[in-house]
Amino acid sequence: MKFSFLKFLTAASVVAAAAMLSSCAGGRSYLVIPRAVSTASAVSVDDLNLTSGQYDVLNTITETASVICEYKNKRIRITSGDNDFAYVFSLGKDGFWTLSAFSGAASLGYFTSDLNASLTEVPDGEEFARRVAMARIIRAAKDYNADGVVEPVVISRVNNAGHNKVEFSSTVSAKLISIKTTR
């Protein structure tokens, strides 16, 4: 009799644990945010393993972006300073954020060193501002026909923009380089 009860108790515990684990893993939803993504490898000059005659610094450039975040009840509205995009996120009863409305689409940039960073869990105004400024740096690198972005520096600021509003701005500076080829 004890043996059967012990088997039953063990089986019930396993089933209960499996149900709890599956409910934790299966219920998680991620935000799907309409956006364009650009990437670039950003390294230090020392990491290039090149002598000074093997590359040229084309230019040092700076790009800035800002967003306004308006917090109202369980909603966050993130609007670009240039009015290129606006996203409205709502916090659901389940505790997860959902994208409830949008206009336009953000062009976001990622340096390969932080490519795993994502905008899929919690809306973050500073992250949006930084990623838009990075996308502008990457676009400038393409415009200059640069081979890479070297030694980027990111500076972010936050300011009160009124009742329940915060402005996040990010400035990214980097050197654009061209690697000389030998033939």
Side-chain angles (χ1 to χ4, degrees):
M1 184 94 171
K2 272 186 177 178
F3 187 70
S4 300
F5 181 74
L6 185 58
K7 277 185 179 178
F8 172 77
L9 188 59
T10 302
S13 297
V14 169
V15 170
M20 285 192 307
L21 287 175
S22 67
S23 69
C24 291
R28 180 67 179 113
S29 61
Y30 289 94
L31 292 174
V32 177
I33 301 171
R35 64 187 189 257
V37 175
S38 302
T39 60
S41 294
V43 297
S44 70
V45 173
D46 293 337
D47 291 340
L48 289 175
N49 199 22
L50 298 172
T51 63
S52 61
Q54 294 177 312
Y55 67 92
D56 289 323
V57 175
L58 301 174
N59 204 348
T60 300
I61 59 170
T62 300
E63 294 289 344
T64 301
S66 66
V67 299
I68 301 288
C69 290
E70 183 177 6
Y71 302 90
K72 192 172 188 179
N73 299 324
K74 294 182 179 182
R75 298 183 93 166
I76 298 174
R77 179 181 175 86
I78 299 176
T79 308
S80 77
D82 302 331
N83 291 319
D84 292 337
F85 63 85
Y87 297 105
V88 178
F89 300 97
S90 300
L91 184 62
K93 292 179 183 178
D94 58 2
F96 298 117
W97 289 97
T98 58
L99 178 64
S100 53
F102 72 94
S103 64
S107 293
L108 306 176
Y110 293 83
F111 295 139
T112 54
S113 59
D114 63 358
L115 190 55
N116 291 332
S118 66
L119 293 169
T120 58
E121 292 187 30
V122 178
D124 182 352
E126 189 276 333
E127 181 86 4
F128 270 93
R130 184 167 12 106
R131 298 294 173 201
V132 170
M134 285 180 177
R136 291 176 180 171
I137 287 282
I138 294 166
R139 194 169 326 132
K142 184 177 180 332
D143 291 345
Y144 276 92
N145 291 320
D147 293 315
V149 176
V150 180
E151 298 180 343
V153 175
V154 180
I155 299 169
S156 295
R157 291 177 295 286
V158 61
N159 294 307
N160 186 344
H163 182 68
N164 293 333
K165 290 184 182 180
V166 176
E167 179 184 27
F168 294 93
S169 61
S170 287
T171 301
V172 179
S173 298
K175 294 174 183 64
L176 303 180
I177 63 158
S178 173
I179 298 173
K180 295 179 182 179
T181 56
T182 56
R183 294 184 185 195

